[in-house]
C-alpha cells in the first residue's frame, strides 16, 4: 500500500477489512518503518514508535560509537527500541540494555536479539564491569530542554550515580559544556552537515581511544567528528595545533562544519588545512583553496557593507538572485533582500560579516546545489 496522504483513508479501510483490530498497529508500523529507513539500518523489520524514531541515534553515528567501544562489555541504561544495542551487537563484547518503558523493551528485544534486555531505572546501577551508556531524554513539558537537570534522567544525578565508572553520555549539542566541569572528553558529532549530538566520554575511555589512535597527546578535552553518509569521517581534536597566520582574506571563504564550531575547534581545523580566520571572534575561515569535500564560496568582490554599496556591486555583477548569509552583524537577510532590487540573470552568494570593527560584504559565486547545511550561527535567505 502506498500509505500516502492522499491514499491513507482508503488504505486504512482496506487494511481494516483484512486485519480487523490489528490494522491500526499494522499501518502505523509500516509507516514508521518507511520513515526510519534513511536513519536506522535494517529498520524494515523493526518494531517502532514515532517518538522513538525521532529520538533514535542515526545508525552511522551509533556504529561509529560501537567501534570505539569494541571489545568492552556495554550496558545501555536507556536503551529504548535498541538502536545503540543493534550497533554494539556487531562488535566484540557483551551487550546489555535496560529501560523503564516495557513496550520499548519488547521492541528492543525484537530489534536487537543478540542483546540481553530487562526493565530497570537508569539511576539504579544493575551491572558490574560494564561501560555505562546513557541517552537522557531531552524533552521536558513537551519541549526540548538544554537544562541538564531537566533531562530524563537528570544529567547531574546520572553523573553522580556512575561516578568512577567508565561512562558515555549522549547530550544535546546546545548544552553549556563549560558549566558541566566534565573531566573527560566532550565530542560533538555531525552527520551530513547537521549537528546530531554531544557525547561525554569519561577519562578512562578517552585515554583508551587516544592510545589506539594517531593523535599527538594521550588526552583531549574536545573532539569534533564530522561524518558523512558515504562513510567518510574527519576528526579534529584539541590535541592538535591551533596556530594560524593573520592574513588578508584569501580567494575562498569557508564555513566550518557545525560540529567544529560547537566544539570550539575552528582554529585547529584551520591549522590542519592551511586556512586562517577573517576575525578572531568570528567562526569563519578563508584561504586560497578549499579542503576536499567542503563547499566554500569563491570571492568575486569585497566591499565595505552598506545597502547602497551592496546593491551597486550586485548590479555590476548582473546578479538576479542571491543567497545572503550573515554572521557577527545585525542584518536581517529577509529584510535586506528586497531592498537590493536585483534585475540581473546570474545567481550569487553574499556573505556579510565583521572584520575588526567594520562590517564587510563578500560577493561570491553561487554555491553549487547539494552543498552542506548552514552551520549554527548563520542567518540565511535565498
Amino acid at each position: 500500500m502506498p500509505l500516502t496522504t492522499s491514499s491513507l483513508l482508503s488504505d486504512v479501510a482496506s487494511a481494516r477489512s483484512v486485519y480487523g483490530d490489528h490494522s491500526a498497529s499494522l499501518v502505523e508500523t509500516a509507516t514508521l518503518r518507511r520513515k526510519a529507513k534513511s536513519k536506522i539500518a535494517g529498520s524494515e523489520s523493526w518494531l517502532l514508535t514515532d517518538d522513538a524514531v525521532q529520538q533514535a541515534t542515526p545508525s552511522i553515528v551509533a556504529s561509529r560509537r560501537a567501534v570505539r567501544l569494541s571489545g568492552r562489555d556495554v550496558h545501555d541504561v536507556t536503551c529504548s527500541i535498541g538502536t545503540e544495542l543493534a550497533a554494539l551487537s556487531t562488535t566484540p563484547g557483551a551487550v546489555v540494555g535496560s529501560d523503564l518503558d516495557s513496550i520499548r523493551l519488547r521492541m528492543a528485544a525484537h530489534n536487537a536479539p543478540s542483546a540481553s534486555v530487562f526493565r530497570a531505572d537508569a539511576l539504579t546501577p544493575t551491572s558490574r564491569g560494564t561501560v555505562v551508556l546513557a541517552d537522557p531524554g531531552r524533552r521536558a513539558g513537551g519541549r526540548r530542554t538544554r537544562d541538564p537537570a531537566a533531562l530524563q534522567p537528570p544529567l547531574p544525578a546520572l553523573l553522580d550515580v556512575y561516578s568512577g565508572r567508565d561512562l558515555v553520555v549522549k547530550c544535546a549539542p546546545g548544552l553549556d559544556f563549560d558549566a558541566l566541569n566534565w573531566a573527560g572528553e566532550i565530542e560533538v558529532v555531525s552527520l551530513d552537515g547537521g549537528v546530531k549530538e554531544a557525547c561525554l566520554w569519561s577519562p578512562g575511555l578517552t585515554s583508551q581511544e587516544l592510545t589506539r589512535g594517531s593523535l599527538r597527546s594521550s588526552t583531549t578535552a574536545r573532539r569534533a567528528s564530522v561524518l558523512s553518509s558515504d562513510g567518510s569521517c574527519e576528526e579534529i581534536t584539541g590535541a592538535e595545533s591551533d596556530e594560524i597566520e593573520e592574513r588578508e582574506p584569501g580567494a575562498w571563504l569557508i564555513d566550518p562544519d557545525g560540529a567544529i564550531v560547537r566544539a570550539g575547534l575552528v582554529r585547529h581545523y584551520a591549522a590542519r588545512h592551511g586556512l586562517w580566520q577573517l576575525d578572531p571572534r568570528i567562526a569563519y575561515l578563508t584561504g586560497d583553496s578549499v579542503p576536499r569535500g567542503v563547499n566554500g564560496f569563491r570571492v568575486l568582490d569585497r566591499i565595505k557593507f552598506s545597502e547602497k554599496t551592496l546593491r551597486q556591486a550586485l548590479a555590476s555583477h548582473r546578479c538576479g538572485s542571491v543567497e545572503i548569509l550573515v554572521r557577527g552583524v545585525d542584518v536581517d537577510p529577509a529584510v535586506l533582500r528586497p531592498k537590493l532590487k536585483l534585475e540581473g540573470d546570474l545567481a550569487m552568494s553574499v556573505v556579510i560579516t565583521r572584520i575588526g570593527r567594520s562590517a564587510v560584504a563578500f560577493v561570491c559565486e553561487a554555491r553549487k546545489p547539494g552543498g552542506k547545511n548552514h552551520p549554527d550561527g548563520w542567518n540565511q535567505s535565498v
Side-chain angles (χ1 to χ4, degrees):
M1 295 180 177
L3 298 177
T4 61
T5 302
S6 59
S7 72
L8 190 58
L9 286 177
S10 61
D11 288 341
V12 168
S14 298
R16 186 180 299 116
S17 67
V18 178
Y19 299 104
D21 292 342
H22 297 291
S23 61
S25 296
L26 177 61
V27 169
E28 181 182 10
T29 299
T31 303
L32 289 173
R33 284 174 173 176
R34 297 178 192 183
K35 180 179 178 180
K37 185 177 180 180
S38 62
K39 186 177 186 180
I40 303 174
S43 61
E44 62 273 6
S45 63
W46 278 39
L47 298 176
L48 310 152
T49 71
D50 188 51
D51 283 346
V53 171
Q54 293 184 42
Q55 297 166 10
T57 304
S59 292
I60 291 175
V61 178
S63 295
R64 183 179 169 280
R65 182 165 25 250
V67 170
R68 183 165 174 173
L69 292 170
S70 180
R72 295 295 302 272
D73 298 335
V74 181
H75 180 186
D76 184 350
V77 297
T78 54
C79 72
S80 185
I81 60 172
T83 310
E84 298 282 347
L85 299 181
L88 290 164
S89 295
T90 65
T91 61
V95 181
V96 180
S98 59
D99 203 291
L100 277 175
D101 189 320
S102 58
I103 298 298
R104 292 193 184 188
L105 275 175
R106 294 179 68 182
M107 292 179 171
H110 171 85
N111 299 337
S114 298
S116 299
V117 300
F118 57 94
R119 190 170 185 271
D121 188 332
L123 294 180
T124 302
T126 50
S127 63
R128 295 192 184 117
T130 61
V131 175
V132 175
L133 171 63
D135 183 8
R138 302 172 193 173
R139 291 186 179 273
R143 303 181 63 181
R144 283 190 175 273
T145 179
R146 294 185 178 183
D147 180 4
L151 301 179
Q152 293 297 325
L155 183 57
L158 193 68
L159 300 182
D160 182 60
V161 166
Y162 294 104
S163 177
R165 294 277 298 271
D166 285 338
L167 178 65
V168 183
V169 185
K170 296 188 294 177
C171 302
L175 287 179
D176 184 351
F177 302 142
D178 293 330
L180 287 177
N181 196 28
W182 180 245
E185 174 191 316
I186 299 175
E187 177 188 27
V188 184
V189 182
S190 68
L191 177 61
D192 295 330
V195 181
K196 297 301 180 183
E197 65 178 41
C199 191
L200 310 182
W201 296 84
S202 61
L205 295 173
T206 301
S207 300
Q208 179 187 42
E209 166 66 10
L210 296 180
T211 299
R212 292 203 307 266
S214 58
L215 304 180
R216 301 178 187 179
S217 173
S218 60
T219 59
T220 185
R222 296 288 174 93
R223 182 192 305 263
S225 297
V226 181
L227 312 182
S228 299
S229 292
D230 62 8
S232 64
C233 172
E234 181 174 17
E235 292 187 3
I236 307 292
T237 80
E240 301 179 39
S241 171
D242 66 348
E243 295 183 8
I244 56 178
E245 297 182 83
E246 293 185 10
R247 294 171 56 184
E248 285 293 301
W252 291 85
L253 302 183
I254 296 94
D255 49 345
D257 185 271
I260 295 169
V261 177
R262 290 283 184 91
L265 299 174
V266 171
R267 289 179 61 89
H268 302 75
Y269 175 80
R272 174 183 288 190
H273 292 288
L275 306 173
W276 56 97
Q277 288 182 288
L278 289 175
D279 184 280
R281 298 164 295 178
I282 302 295
Y284 197 65
L285 302 174
T286 183
D288 294 326
S289 61
V290 179
R292 184 176 180 179
V294 174
N295 193 2
F297 299 89
R298 188 176 185 88
V299 178
L300 301 175
D301 204 354
R302 171 189 172 185
I303 59 174
K304 186 174 181 179
F305 171 69
S306 72
E307 292 179 11
K308 180 179 179 180
T309 56
L310 180 57
R311 183 168 57 249
Q312 292 172 340
L314 291 174
S316 70
H317 286 285
R318 297 168 46 210
C319 179
S321 61
V322 66
E323 172 190 31
I324 302 174
L325 301 103
V326 179
R327 180 177 282 155
V329 180
D330 186 15
V331 173
D332 185 341
V335 174
L336 173 63
R337 188 175 184 279
K339 295 180 179 180
L340 298 177
K341 301 177 181 179
L342 304 175
E343 298 179 351
D345 56 356
L346 298 178
M348 292 186 174
S349 295
V350 169
V351 176
I352 302 172
T353 188
R354 182 167 297 281
I355 301 179
R357 296 184 177 180
S358 301
V360 178
F362 292 88
V363 178
C364 307
E365 291 181 355
R367 291 201 290 185
K368 296 179 181 179
K372 292 186 175 182
N373 296 338
H374 304 292
D376 296 326
W378 281 112
N379 294 323
Q380 181 262 348
S381 174
V382 177

